[in-house]
């Protein structure tokens, strides 16, 4: 596979006493916070900026930290031309999620996130990003 890194940085995944998830993204582009809601089979991220919190969740515990990549995968046979969010796990592998419409923003405050169940290691991630960069450079030679 080939992909282009759209964003990268560090993340924290927190969980409230009530069970709500909060995803904190800290990248070179900007810092963002999203509530990660699960409703049946549907998961979605909600932009927290400008949103008044009504759930009463005030205490969150960090359950996972690491590096993240947002990569536009060019030739994924299952999910063609959709951005993938890769979150590092405790074994330095990356869990794969699909963001069909990207991260939420102030205009579209809620976006679906799809758990693929795929885990890839750092070497594989580096390989397909590197392959994309070589192909892009060769297009202009």
């Amino acid at each position: 596979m080939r992909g282009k890194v759209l964003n990268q940085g560090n993340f924290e995944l927190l969980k409230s006493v009530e069970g709500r998830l909060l995803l904190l993204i800290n990248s070179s582009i900007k810092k963002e916070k999203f509530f990660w809601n699960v409703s049946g089979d549907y998961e979605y991220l909600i932009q927290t900026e400008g949103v008044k919190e009504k759930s009463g969740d005030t205490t969150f515990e960090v359950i996972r930290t690491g590096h993240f990549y947002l990569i536009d995968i060019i030739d994924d046979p299952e999910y063609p031309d959709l951005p993938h969010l890769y979150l590092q796990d405790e074994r330095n592998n990356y869990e794969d999620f699909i963001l069909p419409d990207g991260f939420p923003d102030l205009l579209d405050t809620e976006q679906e996130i799809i758990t693929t169940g795929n885990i890839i290691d750092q070497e594989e991630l580096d390989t397909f990003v590197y392959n994309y960069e070589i192909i892009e450079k060769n297009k202009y030679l």
Side-chain angles (χ1 to χ4, degrees), residues 3-127:
K4 179 180 181 183
V5 176
L6 302 174
N7 196 354
Q8 67 175 309
N10 295 312
F11 77 92
E12 289 183 321
L13 187 59
L14 298 95
K15 188 174 188 176
S16 75
V17 176
E18 292 80 12
R20 290 190 70 193
L21 295 175
L22 183 65
L23 177 63
L24 305 176
I25 296 289
N26 184 9
S27 73
S28 57
I29 297 174
K30 67 182 191 177
K31 295 180 181 182
E32 299 179 284
K33 291 192 285 188
F34 308 104
F35 283 111
W36 190 325
N37 285 350
V38 179
S39 177
D41 292 337
Y42 181 65
E43 294 183 50
Y44 53 97
L45 297 177
I46 300 173
Q47 172 65 254
T48 63
E49 186 177 333
V51 174
K52 185 172 180 178
E53 174 56 12
K54 297 178 185 176
S55 73
D57 289 348
T58 56
T59 306
F60 286 85
E61 173 188 354
V62 176
I63 59 173
R64 189 164 153 193
T65 63
H67 198 80
F68 82 91
Y69 290 95
L70 181 64
I71 300 176
D72 188 15
I73 302 297
I74 307 304
D75 54 2
D76 183 336
E78 293 181 66
Y79 305 100
D81 299 324
L82 293 176
H84 290 239
L85 175 64
Y86 292 97
L87 299 179
Q88 189 176 31
D89 66 16
E90 59 280 348
R91 289 183 223 97
N92 292 327
N93 293 319
Y94 286 81
E95 191 173 359
D96 181 17
F97 300 91
I98 306 294
L99 293 172
D101 299 310
F103 281 123
D105 58 29
L106 293 176
L107 296 175
D108 291 319
T109 59
E110 185 178 304
Q111 297 293 354
E112 182 178 16
I113 183 167
I114 300 168
T115 302
T116 67
N118 296 332
I119 304 289
I120 67 169
D121 62 28
Q122 181 71 55
E123 186 177 335
E124 184 180 355
L125 191 72
D126 289 343
T127 300

